[in-house]
Amino acid sequence: MADQKQEQPMQAATSIDAIDKRNLDWFLDKGVQVLIFIGGISAIIFVLGIFVFITKEGFDFVLSRFDLAEFFTSPNWRPTSSANPTYGALALIVGTASVTGTAMIVAIPFSLGAAIYIGEFATGKTREALKILVELLAAIPSVVWGFIGLSIMNALIIDLFNVPIGLNIFNAGVILGLMAAPIMTTIAEDALKAVPDEYRAAAEAMGATRWQVIRKVVLPAAKNGLVAAVLLGVGRGFGETMAVLMATGHSVQIPDSIFDSVRALTATIAAELGETAVGSDHYGALFTLGIFLFIVTFLINLTADLVVRGIKKK
Amino acid sequence: MYNHDKSMETPATGTTNGLAIRTEKLSLWYGTFQALFDVDFDVKQGIITALIGPSGCGKSTLLRCVNRINERLGYVRTEGKVDVMGLNVYAPDVELAQLRKQVGMVFQRPNPLPISIRDNILFGYHLHVPGSKKQPKAEKEQIVEEALRQVLLWDQVKDRLDRKATGLSLEEQQKLCIARLLPVKPAVLLMDEPCSALDPKATEAVEELIWQLRGTYSILIVTHNMAQARRASDECAFMLMGKLVEHTKTEEMFVTPANQQTADYIEGRYG
């Protein structure tokens, strides 16, 4: 019987099964799609939620008590004064900016140097080992860095530079620079890696030395990515809290030298928020600092993002 | 032997016996894989020599030994000798930068640098001519124009020298890649399948250009295009499995190949 069937010539189908049956696979597919969609937009929702929350908490203060001129021009941050509380954030802004600036002076040469070495010179196992090491460095908790600043760097700075306090811009800047360097290295190295190898081959075949290839071909081609790496480092510096709180000395003042203590915006929020009454002016003022930080880091990251997109367009 | 009114100068030399490139017992390993076996190969000055053979036969590898660009890979070991214009390029005191000034190379895929057309032309020139960056602008413009004219590209690009070279068509890019080698006046031009990324019309144009450069430069060209080797070379060398099988005048090779393997390849029985 079976043999007989095989001998018959194949026939074109004259009818087909229904094609509108919804089976388990169909439901599974829809279910997974919905889950992924929720997962995908949740990040956006949470960030927006945080922004709305911070704005709401700071809003009363901004409307009632806030004085734009005072906020940006007065160095007097005296939120707890019972007679006349003032909310000048200038000293805090200068504190954050000076520490971040110092950090970048430390981090840019280190991270670009490391990225160039890993991306252009190191080969094989050295390269892999270094990449893993850099990623490990990025994973050191900031409180550990703060601890190093507080206990080791502090004494070292007092000894080396003969200054009264070791907790200052220099200390926090170095710590923050070392913290930001690994992530900057990783991003900068990605930017170098994105430069097509044909460019290097072309330049080498024309008789360029290794360094000439890097300086005249690779770095210009990777320029946008490198700028983005630096900007993300700046963003990291602005937002860092714990290490800065521990290493700056936490004193509100406009610094005269790199060895003066300062206080950062982030550290102020971290240190004071727990001791304010919810809804008080002080509470609102801290949230206003938060809004300001949020806007600044948002702008930095947005710029970095636009710069990176700039490369891809070309 | 070859008369060309375009030839501006005779390539620089020592004692060369009329040879641009000469390899002796050249063997090469990529790691443990041997890609070249005792290759003895002579390339005469002022003509176009084509290297043909099936994929993986070592023709590109041989070409890349001449300017030592192979060594970028890092796991390459070479034995034997390669002379360019009578000088051993594997001698221990050879400076790669100076070697590559003498031996220009055109790659399979056009690879202009992501800078302006003008800067592409001047890139090698600035590398090799000290102080050339401070030269008067007019002189540099002169160099750019001359190089672009030699590759028949001047009229197309003269109004957009400041545009990025990567925005040109592939044909224009490849011509530019040839043009940028000329200002440093190399003795030898290596071309690694220079037309394989181009369409037939562009291939024709680039071939024509290569033919024009014949005489002024000694040219070694790798191709897997039989027809191209046949119409655009003076001599032809056939490689198989890392060995040089036959090297003779192009018309002879395509009409009366001495070796059976060569005959089989040319007739398309494998490859």
Side-chain angles (χ1 to χ4, degrees):
Chain A
M1 182 81 178
D3 286 350
Q4 257 183 351
K5 227 180 184 177
Q6 270 182 357
E7 281 165 30
Q8 282 175 358
M10 284 283 282
Q11 271 190 343
T14 51
S15 68
I16 58 169
D17 294 338
I19 54 170
D20 56 355
K21 273 194 233 156
R22 292 185 172 175
N23 58 11
L24 187 62
D25 285 343
W26 187 89
F27 287 107
L28 202 64
D29 185 53
K30 286 287 169 222
V32 169
Q33 276 186 34
V34 169
L35 273 179
I36 289 174
F37 175 73
I38 293 171
I41 61 162
S42 63
I44 301 166
I45 291 175
F46 286 135
V47 171
L48 280 179
I50 290 168
F51 183 68
V52 167
F53 172 72
I54 293 176
T55 316
K56 188 172 75 66
E57 294 297 304
F59 210 60
D60 275 349
F61 176 80
V62 172
L63 286 184
S64 62
R65 181 67 180 71
F66 185 67
D67 178 348
L68 193 75
E70 185 194 36
F71 188 80
F72 283 109
T73 59
S74 160
N76 299 318
W77 179 259
R78 294 199 199 96
T80 50
S81 162
S82 50
N84 180 25
T86 54
Y87 300 99
L90 182 66
L92 309 179
I93 295 169
V94 171
T96 289
S98 59
V99 170
T100 307
T102 314
M104 287 307 111
I105 293 171
V106 174
I108 290 173
F110 273 127
S111 57
L112 292 193
I116 290 172
Y117 180 70
I118 295 174
E120 302 293 317
F121 289 100
T123 49
K125 285 199 175 123
T126 324
R127 181 183 179 143
E128 291 311 307
L130 279 172
K131 284 177 82 167
I132 293 171
L133 213 63
V134 167
E135 269 153 36
L136 279 181
L137 281 177
I140 296 177
S142 64
V143 67
V144 173
W145 284 110
F147 177 76
I148 292 171
L150 199 58
S151 58
I152 301 172
M153 290 277 292
N154 183 20
L156 209 62
I157 289 169
I158 292 173
D159 271 3
L160 280 179
F161 299 100
N162 198 22
V163 287
I165 318 157
L167 299 175
N168 48 34
I169 299 174
F170 181 72
N171 187 334
V174 170
I175 291 291
L176 197 55
L178 295 178
M179 282 178 74
I183 183 103
M184 288 167 67
T185 305
T186 306
I187 296 166
E189 200 236 324
D190 284 345
L192 296 179
K193 211 164 52 186
V195 176
D197 197 50
E198 340 182 311
Y199 295 164
R200 294 183 187 86
E204 274 186 47
M206 277 191 278
T209 60
R210 218 50 184 286
W211 173 238
Q212 285 169 330
V213 172
I214 292 169
R215 190 168 60 88
K216 296 188 173 182
V217 179
V218 178
L219 290 184
K223 188 180 64 202
N224 290 10
L226 299 178
V227 170
V230 171
L231 282 176
L232 286 173
V234 172
R236 174 101 167 81
F238 247 80
E240 174 51 37
T241 307
M242 185 50 78
V244 172
L245 173 62
M246 293 166 84
T248 48
H250 206 55
S251 82
V252 183
Q253 60 171 324
I254 303 279
D256 290 329
S257 92
I258 199 166
F259 295 111
D260 280 350
S261 294
V262 289
R263 192 200 274 200
L265 289 161
T266 49
T268 306
I269 299 174
E272 293 179 4
L273 193 59
E275 291 157 16
T276 57
V278 174
S280 66
D281 277 354
H282 187 188
Y283 179 87
L286 290 177
F287 271 94
T288 310
L289 292 184
I291 296 171
F292 177 67
L293 266 174
F294 191 97
I295 291 171
V296 171
T297 39
F298 177 77
L299 287 179
I300 292 171
N301 283 320
L302 186 70
T303 315
D305 200 47
L306 291 177
V307 168
V308 170
R309 271 166 212 279
I311 337 173
K312 286 179 187 152
K313 261 187 213 156
K314 278 171 205 164
Chain B
M1 192 153 99
Y2 297 99
N3 293 319
H4 287 279
D5 43 19
K6 281 211 72 175
S7 84
M8 304 178 304
E9 70 218 281
T10 46
T13 49
T15 45
T16 62
N17 302 324
L19 293 182
I21 303 167
R22 177 188 183 86
T23 76
E24 269 174 51
K25 292 227 168 295
L26 179 67
S27 295
L28 180 142
W29 290 261
Y30 292 116
T32 55
F33 173 76
Q34 186 167 6
L36 294 179
F37 296 83
D38 292 331
V39 175
D40 293 320
F41 181 43
D42 293 341
V43 175
K44 296 195 183 76
Q45 283 172 18
I47 62 168
I48 299 175
T49 305
L51 266 174
I52 58 170
S55 303
C57 70
K59 54 193 192 300
S60 280
T61 299
L62 177 56
L63 179 100
R64 286 159 173 264
C65 283
V66 179
N67 67 348
R68 294 177 58 178
I69 197 81
N70 263 336
E71 288 163 32
R72 292 191 76 230
L73 296 172
Y75 50 89
V76 175
R77 188 163 62 85
T78 319
E79 271 178 20
K81 210 176 143 198
V82 179
D83 287 352
V84 171
M85 307 305 287
L87 302 171
N88 179 9
V89 304
Y90 282 94
D93 51 354
V94 163
E95 286 292 331
L96 288 180
Q98 287 164 30
L99 167 64
R100 289 167 186 169
K101 173 177 178 268
Q102 300 294 331
V103 184
M105 176 161 178
V106 180
F107 290 77
Q108 196 165 346
R109 277 196 60 78
N111 55 358
L113 297 172
I115 48 182
S116 71
I117 295 171
R118 176 185 289 109
D119 290 342
N120 261 284
I121 300 284
L122 292 171
F123 187 86
Y125 185 71
H126 285 325
L127 287 179
H128 294 295
V129 183
S132 60
K133 281 214 158 160
K134 295 193 185 81
Q135 255 180 337
K137 204 163 178 257
E139 281 179 32
K140 289 195 266 189
E141 291 299 297
Q142 179 67 30
I143 289 164
V144 171
E145 178 174 347
E146 204 172 291
L148 288 170
R149 277 197 191 283
Q150 281 189 72
V151 299
L152 321 172
L153 200 58
W154 173 250
D155 290 329
Q156 282 116 292
V157 302
K158 64 183 174 199
D159 299 324
R160 41 181 176 148
L161 294 175
D162 289 316
R163 297 257 194 91
K164 274 209 168 189
T166 37
L168 294 172
S169 76
L170 282 178
E171 176 192 335
E172 291 167 332
Q173 287 188 19
Q174 196 62 304
K175 284 179 168 178
L176 178 69
C177 287
I178 298 172
R180 69 181 173 187
L181 304 173
L182 307 183
V184 298
K185 310 201 187 309
V188 177
L189 294 182
L190 307 174
M191 304 198 175
D192 190 359
E193 307 200 18
C195 301
S196 67
L198 308 180
D199 61 49
K201 228 175 126 51
T203 299
E204 200 189 325
V206 171
E207 263 176 33
E208 206 169 288
L209 158 65
I210 295 171
W211 196 250
Q212 287 225 0
L213 296 172
R214 176 179 171 277
T216 315
Y217 304 93
S218 308
I219 298 172
L220 178 60
I221 179 170
V222 161
T223 176
H224 59 214
N225 180 336
M226 273 323 97
Q228 182 175 66
R230 187 166 191 169
R231 63 181 175 248
S233 71
D234 299 285
E235 290 194 1
C236 202
F238 173 64
M239 287 187 73
L240 190 61
M241 313 279 283
K243 293 184 181 113
L244 190 73
V245 175
E246 189 170 347
H247 177 188
T248 171
K249 283 201 161 42
T250 301
E251 62 261 35
E252 281 173 30
M253 179 171 286
F254 281 91
V255 178
T256 52
N259 190 290
Q260 187 56 41
Q261 288 170 321
T262 315
D264 288 349
Y265 179 69
I266 288 171
E267 282 161 31
R269 282 190 211 132
Y270 60 87

